[in-house]
Amino acid sequence: MPFASVVLDIPTRALESAFDYRVPAEFEASCLVGTTVLVEFSHRDVVGYVVAIKGEPPEDVPVDRVLPVKRVLAEPAFDKVSARVAAWMARQYACALPDAIRPFLAPGQTMKVRRDGDDQPWYLVVERSGPVDERWVSLTEEGRDFRPRANASRQRQVLAALADGPMRMAELSATLPGSSSVVASLARQGVVSVEEHRRLRGMGQTSLSSAQAKRPVELTKGQKDALAAIDEARRGGRGDVVLVDGVTGSGKTEVYLDAIESALAEGQGAIVLVPEISLTAQTVGRFRSRFGDAVAILHSRLSAGERFDQWDLVRRGQAKVVVGARSALFAPLSQVGLIIIDEEHEGSYKQDSSPRYHAREVAAHMAQERGCALVLGSATPSLESLERCGRGSWGGVSWTRVRMPERPGGAQLPRVRVVDMTQQFASGGRSIFSAPLREALDQVVERRQKAVLLLNRRGFANFLMCRECGAVPECPHCSSALTYHERTHSLVCHSCGRSWPVAAYPNPAARCPNCGSPYMAAYGVGTQRVEDELRMILPDDVEVIRMDADTTRSKNAHQKLLEKFDGAECAVLLGTQMIAKGLDFPEVTLVGVINADTTLKLPDFRAAERTYDLLEQVAGRAGRGEDRGQVIIQTYWANHPAIQAVLRHDRGLFTRSELADREEGNYPPYSRLTNVILWGLRADLVRQYTDAVAALVRREVKNKPGWEVLGPADCLKAKLKDRVRRHILIKSPLDAEPGELLARCVKEAKVPRGISVAIDVDAQNLG
Ligand code: ADP
Ligand code: ZN
Ligand code: ZN
């Protein structure tokens, strides 16, 4: 008689292990690993997930006392390997087992046992997704010659996506908001046709799978090297990692496409992760054009039903290439040959709610479990990946870096110029705009071109800065920038919690700790103020478009602002980080960074790395057209290695000094950093229990080499939605598994209801 190991989904009680149930004869064929089942636990019905089937009864219970599986609620969503990966995630990221299993389940389905009050009966809720949009859109013969009006950018984007081959309507509107009305109007003009899936299939696979895949005539040397390394890693079957380190536009996507093609030829599939904002209609189109309907897209803007539909194509083996955001990693693909993570340095690969996993780390583990290759791609690889490649191996598999330093066809990178704002200040400049940036803007106006201005801003963090030398007071114990709190007029360290009244730092007589200047000012300017000043210096016939959290709140506002910029004759787009990526307008000849510094001095050890990534990305935006374009970076720290590296197109300038600093401070990639956060409405209790957890952790790690505990301190966002937040930072050696130890300490502290705790292992966001 078979027995099933079932992980129970009980939210209030994080049960650490699986429980064994008997599989009655009627369910022997359907109760498999990966199914959702209904069982009894503690005298009530509970939903659970089968993680193993075994022939032997459990050892500790008499066979006749083992309860039966009562119902099978859903078909298998994961296999044995995935069950092992989930168990690994639960251990690594200190989360409950059902939380770690949930990402593997079919999207858009809810199965829960609920009750409406403490004395009410339990009942089962099963929600399945609604009907699915099966329509496909394709260009008609006439459509191929259709030319949209100059400012009809949405039409242009739809046509560009379809030029690569037909697409599902659902994908098109998920990746290009508002495209359904565009499609309707194009259909009326006979430019596109909309058909049901089945009919399209009836026309024969050819219309889809042999779509007009545009292949380059010849691959660059870098591309060939990358492909060879990937094929070798894949055939090795050990979970080896290849880092494709290629400048923006060097043809990384082309490499992925070819690598997938050779995997498919050998009967293997691929999972491709891209950041949500890069999952555009164009990206989808490129994969479709090469692989036709063997591609499934997983995107958060798809409806629940559509997501289920795509997921199910993968489970049934019809789609062998999965393209999606972070969670696509858990798609039920069998025979995985490749896992590809594009823009692997992106912080968004870390999930910020339970399970707080990092897709890169899970993928590396998964690749070993499945014996496939992991491909990481970026123009600005993470220091973690660079360091591992430097060692040559990590975690028992090889890490290989392949460089692609050139754009195909010899396209040039833009000219970069750094403006030292302390010099501007010294020569009397008090404007937000330096003289060189003003001149460049004037030129753009004169030539009726376009400019993009980046205001580097992360909102809440404020600090004091010397306008004469650029110095920012740092915590002497943590070498982390001190943040300035206006209300109390104090400087606070968010790593260790120490604070100083401003006048007393470092001594009341001299204001600047570095040069003694009295010009210490709170640093940070808002987009509104820049916009006002910009309008003052530009003639009235230049459009100024501001894009920030305030102007993009409404639905599709982001898209509309970009369209306005696209349609304008001469315009300046002013925006925060959100404009740095995905933007691809050939008429942009100038990219200005108003303040490269705010992120450089965030109290976060990754501040410099993020700044470097951002500047390098934004620099890649200029001069995509004929004109080579220029980038002007205004900064108070012109000599900072991150800035110098962008200026000289030499990443080593940055990584060498940054890695040395990290090693000295025992920060990642030389240690693992965990952020334990407690929050709640009552400040006294939050403080009390954060202290208690910190004391327990300190006791546990006292004699362990390489462990270090910082804090407790207020979080950078000390208050969020009325909840007070405090945190503790824990460094541990690379081979340690801090999740388990910390979970134990939190449990022992007996944190009461009303106070939430998060254990964020390998934290990316220290706010
Ligand atoms: P990345 O992903 O590195 O930004 P892409 O793969 O998108 O780069 O390539 C940038 C552009 O160069 C695309 O338009 C692509 O079609 C083109 N391209 C890529 N490889 C080649 C090649 N070997 N020869 C000519 N053009 C190429
Ligand atoms: Zn400190
Ligand atoms: Zn100074």
Side-chain angles (χ1 to χ4, degrees):
M1 186 194 301
F3 293 83
S5 287
V6 180
V7 171
L8 306 176
D9 198 345
I10 307 179
T12 49
R13 288 178 56 179
L15 298 166
E16 265 115 64
S17 53
F19 289 78
D20 288 332
Y21 288 86
R22 181 159 57 77
V23 181
E26 55 177 318
F27 297 141
E28 265 183 41
S30 58
C31 184
L32 308 166
V33 170
T35 51
T36 303
V37 293
L38 191 70
V39 294
E40 187 183 315
F41 182 79
S42 219
H43 309 293
R44 67 152 171 118
D45 285 351
V46 170
V47 168
Y49 313 109
V50 178
V51 292
I53 296 284
K54 38 196 181 185
E56 302 294 310
E59 278 166 14
D60 44 353
V61 194
V63 175
D64 54 338
R65 299 266 309 277
V66 180
L67 295 170
V69 167
K70 293 174 84 167
R71 269 175 73 184
V72 176
L73 299 173
E75 285 178 55
F78 55 86
D79 62 5
K80 257 190 262 177
V81 179
S82 296
R84 281 205 301 273
V85 173
W88 177 89
M89 281 168 64
R91 204 173 66 232
Q92 286 294 318
Y93 298 105
C95 71
L97 209 41
D99 283 355
I101 289 175
R102 214 162 286 124
F104 290 93
L105 300 176
Q109 300 198 17
T110 317
M111 304 199 188
K112 267 197 199 116
V113 177
R114 255 193 224 143
R115 63 177 166 179
D116 300 326
D118 281 352
D119 50 357
Q120 297 295 306
W122 293 93
Y123 62 93
L124 176 69
V125 184
V126 176
E127 282 163 13
R128 285 202 171 87
S129 42
V132 165
D133 187 347
E134 277 289 2
R135 292 171 304 155
W136 286 69
V137 189
S138 50
L139 275 186
T140 59
E141 274 309 313
E142 306 86 86
R144 303 219 163 265
D145 307 318
F146 178 79
R147 292 278 160 271
R149 275 176 296 120
N151 60 354
S153 68
R154 232 183 280 205
Q155 278 196 1
R156 191 140 31 97
Q157 286 168 313
V158 167
L159 293 170
L162 294 176
D164 286 331
M167 268 174 89
R168 282 166 188 268
M169 187 61 235
E171 286 161 8
L172 203 51
S173 40
T175 50
L176 197 58
S179 54
S180 60
S181 62
V182 176
V183 167
S185 104
L186 288 174
R188 273 195 304 277
Q189 298 172 59
V191 174
V192 303
S193 65
V194 181
E195 286 158 288
E196 287 291 320
H197 186 67
R198 224 171 294 280
R199 279 187 55 200
L200 201 67
R201 281 263 177 104
M203 283 155 50
Q205 293 293 98
T206 48
S207 70
L208 275 178
S209 35
S210 71
Q212 309 62 21
K214 283 181 233 111
R215 278 165 203 275
V217 180
E218 203 192 358
L219 296 181
T220 63
K221 168 153 193 316
Q223 287 175 317
K224 286 181 192 156
D225 292 348
L227 260 180
I230 294 168
D231 280 344
E232 190 189 323
R234 184 171 57 76
R235 297 201 179 110
R238 289 176 301 267
D240 288 339
V241 183
V242 177
L243 172 65
V244 181
D245 175 6
V247 297
T248 46
S250 58
K252 295 184 287 296
T253 311
E254 209 57 51
V255 169
Y256 308 152
L257 293 171
D258 284 0
I260 294 169
E261 198 160 51
S262 62
L264 287 175
E266 290 170 31
Q268 297 177 321
I271 295 175
V272 185
L273 306 187
V274 299
E276 186 92 39
I277 66 163
S278 313
L279 198 47
T280 59
Q282 272 71 15
T283 311
V284 175
R286 279 179 84 178
F287 282 89
R288 272 251 184 279
S289 73
R290 195 62 83 80
F291 307 117
D293 59 2
V295 180
I297 308 294
L298 289 168
H299 192 291
S300 66
R301 269 201 299 263
L302 291 170
S303 74
E306 288 156 357
R307 240 177 305 146
F308 175 80
D309 191 46
Q310 301 264 328
W311 183 91
D312 202 44
L313 283 175
V314 181
R315 175 168 60 177
R316 283 184 281 132
Q318 288 180 0
K320 292 197 154 51
V321 180
V322 186
V323 182
R326 187 179 59 219
S327 63
L329 182 58
F330 305 102
L333 184 70
S334 57
Q335 306 295 334
V336 187
L338 293 169
I339 302 175
I340 297 171
I341 305 185
D342 192 29
E343 309 284 0
E344 65 92 22
H345 63 280
E346 280 276 318
S348 63
Y349 284 121
K350 183 78 161 54
Q351 173 146 301
D352 59 8
S353 59
S354 182
R356 295 170 187 270
Y357 67 90
H358 197 304
R360 188 209 303 130
E361 306 307 318
V362 177
H365 182 74
M366 223 181 230
Q368 286 191 36
E369 285 275 0
R370 297 217 175 264
C372 68
L374 171 62
V375 178
L376 304 173
S378 177
T380 53
S382 63
L383 290 180
E384 280 81 356
S385 299
L386 286 174
E387 216 276 327
R388 292 171 192 182
C389 289
R391 290 169 187 240
S393 73
W394 170 257
V397 299
S398 78
W399 282 65
T400 310
R401 178 168 75 129
V402 182
R403 292 172 24 134
M404 305 206 311
E406 278 149 27
R407 291 179 170 176
Q412 283 187 321
L413 293 164
R415 264 169 318 186
V416 179
R417 175 162 179 194
V418 170
V419 179
D420 183 340
M421 294 301 276
T422 59
Q423 280 175 17
Q424 293 286 312
F425 188 84
S427 54
R430 298 289 183 273
S431 162
I432 297 170
F433 301 98
S434 63
L437 183 54
R438 273 200 70 154
E439 277 158 34
L441 279 169
D442 287 346
Q443 265 181 24
V444 165
V445 172
E446 207 169 287
R447 298 186 191 147
R448 309 309 287 172
Q449 295 170 332
K450 288 177 188 172
V452 171
L453 294 182
L454 173 74
L455 185 70
N456 197 357
R457 195 176 134 80
R458 284 298 252 308
F460 49 88
N462 236 331
F463 47 86
L464 282 190
M465 189 195 63
C466 173
R467 304 263 342 227
E468 284 194 271
C469 78
V472 165
E474 287 186 350
C475 174
H477 307 277
C478 309
S479 63
S480 161
L482 295 172
T483 60
Y484 172 59
H485 291 242
E486 210 160 0
R487 207 168 42 80
T488 50
H489 206 48
S490 59
L491 292 167
V492 179
C493 173
H494 288 275
S495 290
C496 70
R498 291 179 174 87
S499 78
W500 292 263
V502 167
Y505 187 93
N507 74 64
R511 288 296 184 80
C512 171
N514 186 40
C515 74
S517 159
Y519 294 108
M520 292 291 281
Y523 190 74
V525 326
T527 32
Q528 181 68 60
R529 219 188 100 203
V530 182
E531 184 185 0
D532 294 345
E533 200 166 315
L534 196 56
R535 284 192 197 279
M536 261 159 42
I537 64 173
L538 291 176
D540 289 344
D541 63 352
V542 178
E543 265 205 81
V544 174
I545 297 157
R546 172 160 68 100
M547 205 153 106
D548 59 16
D550 290 332
T551 62
T552 53
R553 211 159 276 156
S554 68
K555 197 167 170 245
N556 295 347
H558 191 262
Q559 182 75 20
K560 280 185 195 134
L561 289 172
L562 286 180
E563 276 163 26
K564 197 167 151 206
F565 183 60
D566 188 27
E569 182 238 343
C570 173
V572 178
L573 176 66
L574 164 71
T576 51
Q577 271 80 343
M578 64 174 79
I579 64 167
K581 291 181 198 118
L583 210 72
D584 200 352
F585 296 108
E587 316 91 274
V588 173
T589 51
L590 170 68
V591 171
V593 180
I594 295 184
N595 52 348
D597 313 314
T598 45
T599 45
L600 209 47
K601 291 291 165 177
L602 273 178
D604 180 326
F605 73 95
R606 283 197 183 85
E609 184 177 1
R610 296 236 171 84
T611 307
Y612 170 76
D613 291 353
L614 177 69
L615 295 178
E616 191 62 43
Q617 296 280 352
V618 87
R621 298 296 131 208
R624 294 229 153 182
E626 325 253 274
D627 206 321
R628 187 173 167 201
Q630 68 167 328
V631 179
I632 295 184
I633 300 175
Q634 300 191 153
T635 176
Y636 282 89
W637 296 291
N639 289 327
H640 192 287
I643 308 252
Q644 286 293 316
V646 177
L647 173 66
R648 296 177 201 283
H649 294 298
D650 178 2
R651 183 173 55 221
L653 285 177
F654 167 64
T655 50
R656 277 191 295 275
S657 85
E658 182 68 17
L659 283 171
D661 286 353
R662 299 267 188 101
E663 188 158 24
E664 194 192 312
N666 191 28
Y667 277 103
Y670 299 102
S671 69
R672 300 185 75 174
L673 185 82
T674 306
N675 191 13
V676 177
I677 311 155
L678 284 85
W679 68 99
L681 290 169
R682 289 206 24 204
D684 55 339
L685 289 181
V686 171
R687 187 169 278 274
Q688 178 188 335
Y689 283 96
T690 314
D691 289 350
V693 172
L696 286 164
V697 177
R698 286 206 159 89
R699 194 191 66 193
E700 284 271 339
V701 310
K702 201 169 59 196
N703 297 319
K704 291 188 200 288
W707 288 71
E708 199 181 325
V709 182
L710 293 176
D714 283 346
C715 294
L716 196 52
K717 287 183 201 163
K719 210 168 184 184
L720 202 66
K721 294 181 190 150
D722 288 332
R723 275 144 187 90
V724 178
R725 306 167 78 236
R726 283 181 65 79
H727 72 152
I728 312 159
L729 292 172
I730 297 105
K731 295 179 197 165
S732 54
L734 288 176
D735 56 1
E737 295 193 348
E740 204 220 321
L741 181 150
L742 295 171
R744 207 165 355 105
C745 292
V746 167
K747 201 167 167 191
E748 200 180 326
K750 299 206 167 51
V751 181
R753 270 165 182 257
I755 296 188
S756 311
V757 188
I759 300 174
D760 192 3
V761 179
D762 298 335
Q764 285 285 318
N765 180 355
L766 303 184

